[in-house]
Each structure stands twice: as structure tokens, then as C-alpha cells.
Amino acid sequence: MIVLVHGAWHDASCWAAVESELATRGQRSLAVDLPAEDPGLGAADYADAVVAALGSEVAGPPVLVGHSLGGLTVPVVAQRLGPERVRALVLVGALVPRPGLSYTDQLRAEPSMMAPGFGAGQQRHDDGTTYWPRPAALSGLYRGVTDEVPAAQVERAVSGMRRQGWTVGREPTPLTAWPAVRTVSVICAQDRVVDPAWSRRTAREVGAEVIDLPGGHFPMLTRPAELAEALIRAGSPAAS
């Protein structure tokens, strides 16, 4: 089973094309909706949602995949399940938590983790959740994506976006140590959200294998077949 955890402002539907590609390759997958719109919930609550979604679905250890902000959740799920119950962790253009620190702490110490210019145009509600007006999403979060796929596909992706709460970013991660499981970092060469050079350095620090993909931050939209192959490879015993 390949478990797919979305990033900020998205939901499980962003994985639809990857799930289809995995199914054609005989791979079971489960895309999980995180309770991301609730401003009071953090990584432990997100991990609860993933574990609850798994339920009795999993016959063997799953491959846990986190995209972008989902990288703050999947290691916590692995910690919760224990190394014997996880086949691999896969980080796709993902943030990587450091025990004892919050994402905000990390960003303050390592501003290079986010690509230059990221965040411009993002708006905040009174409850602290943030969202992207359509023009800002197209020119900011999804900048460059229309170089890879038709504009209509990007429009559909942007139309499905929702609010994102930020307790998950302000709280120190509940992760106490990096899980003792195979970790694979899928690094997108033209990522304009999470800086690829930062991802590469961080992969070395956590002992992750690296799979390189061309293109930007949303390979589930732009390169679903290539991403599906990378996820299968990451979960294969032959990958090491």
C-alpha cells in the first residue's frame, strides 16, 4: 500500500492522477485528507488522521508519501507506527522536520529552505488560516507549472485549493528522532516552492536516497507517471 499525504492548501484529490497511474501498475494506494482547515490542529492531529484512514486497510507495511507540507506529517506517522510497520518514507518536494524545532524555527534559521519569492500574494483569514486568491496562486504557488501542462489543468488544480491552518508550522514537531526506516527524497529540479538545493542537503542529513525528477513542485499534476514509478521504486526492496 502506498499512502499519499498532500501538502498545504490541498486535499486528497490532488493525488488522483498518481493513484490512477499506480492502479495501472497493480499498486494499491490510499490518499488521505488532512484536517488542514482547522487552525488549532498540528502534526500529531494530522498523523492521527493518517493512522485512522489506514485502519485495517493495510496488509503489510505501507510506503508513506508526503508532499511539501506533508513532509511534516509522514515521519510522525512512521514514529507512531514503529519502523517494523513502515516500508519506506518518501518525501516529495517536502519540508523535513527537525526534532525540537518548529517549521517557523527552521525557516528563521534556514531561510534558503524556501525558494526565492515564495509566498507573495498569500492572504490570511482572521482565524490565522491562509489562502491563495486565484491570480496569486497562478503566479506564486503554481508559478511555472503552465510550462509543463496546459493552463486548464492548472486552473482546475487551483480551483480546488482550500484554507490552511498553521499550528502545524508554529509548534515544535512531535518527532523525537528521524525514524529508522528507508527514506527517499524525490527532488524536483525546477521546484519554486521548496528549494531543491536545500532538499538535497537535508536528504544527506537524514540519510535519504535521492530520486531526481525534472520539473516543478507539483509532479502529481505534471508528471504523474514518472512520480508513480518513483514511488514504486522507493517501496521496492531492490531500491537499496
Side-chain angles (χ1 to χ4, degrees), residues 22 39 47 57 77 112 120 158 162 164 176 190-191 195 203 230:
L22 289 170
E57 288 261 350
V77 177
S112 64
V158 166
R162 56 180 178 158
Q164 174 65 50
T176 58
Q190 286 79 47
D191 198 323
D195 185 80

Side-chain angles (χ1 to χ4, degrees), residues 134-145:
R134 176 188 163 279
L138 293 171
S139 64
L141 185 64
Y142 274 80
R143 57 184 168 157
V145 178

Side-chain angles (χ1 to χ4, degrees), residues 101-115:
L101 298 178
S102 68
Y103 162 68
T104 302
D105 294 332
Q106 287 182 258
L107 188 58
R108 189 177 297 117
E110 302 177 83
S112 64
M113 68 192 296
M114 306 308 291

Side-chain angles (χ1 to χ4, degrees), residues 79-125:
Q79 177 175 268
R80 184 85 56 84
L81 295 176
E84 70 285 351
R85 295 177 61 198
V86 177
R87 181 176 294 278
L89 276 176
V90 185
L91 307 168
V92 181
L95 303 179
V96 181
R98 296 182 186 273
L101 298 178
S102 68
Y103 162 68
T104 302
D105 294 332
Q106 287 182 258
L107 188 58
R108 189 177 297 117
E110 302 177 83
S112 64
M113 68 192 296
M114 306 308 291
F118 171 72
Q122 190 182 155
Q123 300 295 312
R124 184 175 299 274
H125 288 284

Side-chain angles (χ1 to χ4, degrees), residues 69-208:
L69 191 71
L72 300 185
T73 296
V74 289
V76 180
V77 177
Q79 177 175 268
R80 184 85 56 84
L81 295 176
E84 70 285 351
R85 295 177 61 198
V86 177
R87 181 176 294 278
L89 276 176
V90 185
L91 307 168
V92 181
L95 303 179
V96 181
R98 296 182 186 273
L101 298 178
S102 68
Y103 162 68
T104 302
D105 294 332
Q106 287 182 258
L107 188 58
R108 189 177 297 117
E110 302 177 83
S112 64
M113 68 192 296
M114 306 308 291
F118 171 72
Q122 190 182 155
Q123 300 295 312
R124 184 175 299 274
H125 288 284
D126 290 342
D127 65 359
T129 59
T130 63
Y131 70 100
W132 291 82
R134 176 188 163 279
L138 293 171
S139 64
L141 185 64
Y142 274 80
R143 57 184 168 157
V145 178
T146 52
D147 295 339
E148 299 182 72
V149 295
Q153 284 186 251
V154 181
E155 289 276 2
R156 285 194 295 272
V158 166
S159 70
M161 289 170 60
R162 56 180 178 158
R163 299 184 183 194
Q164 174 65 50
W166 285 105
T167 293
V168 68
R170 294 191 303 269
E171 64 175 10
T173 177
L175 188 70
T176 58
W178 194 258
V181 300
R182 170 186 285 154
T183 302
V184 177
S185 181
V186 177
I187 298 177
C188 304
Q190 286 79 47
D191 198 323
R192 297 186 183 182
V193 178
V194 179
D195 185 80
W198 179 86
S199 293
R200 202 169 296 279
R201 290 195 303 272
T202 306
R204 289 195 296 268
E205 291 171 8
V206 300

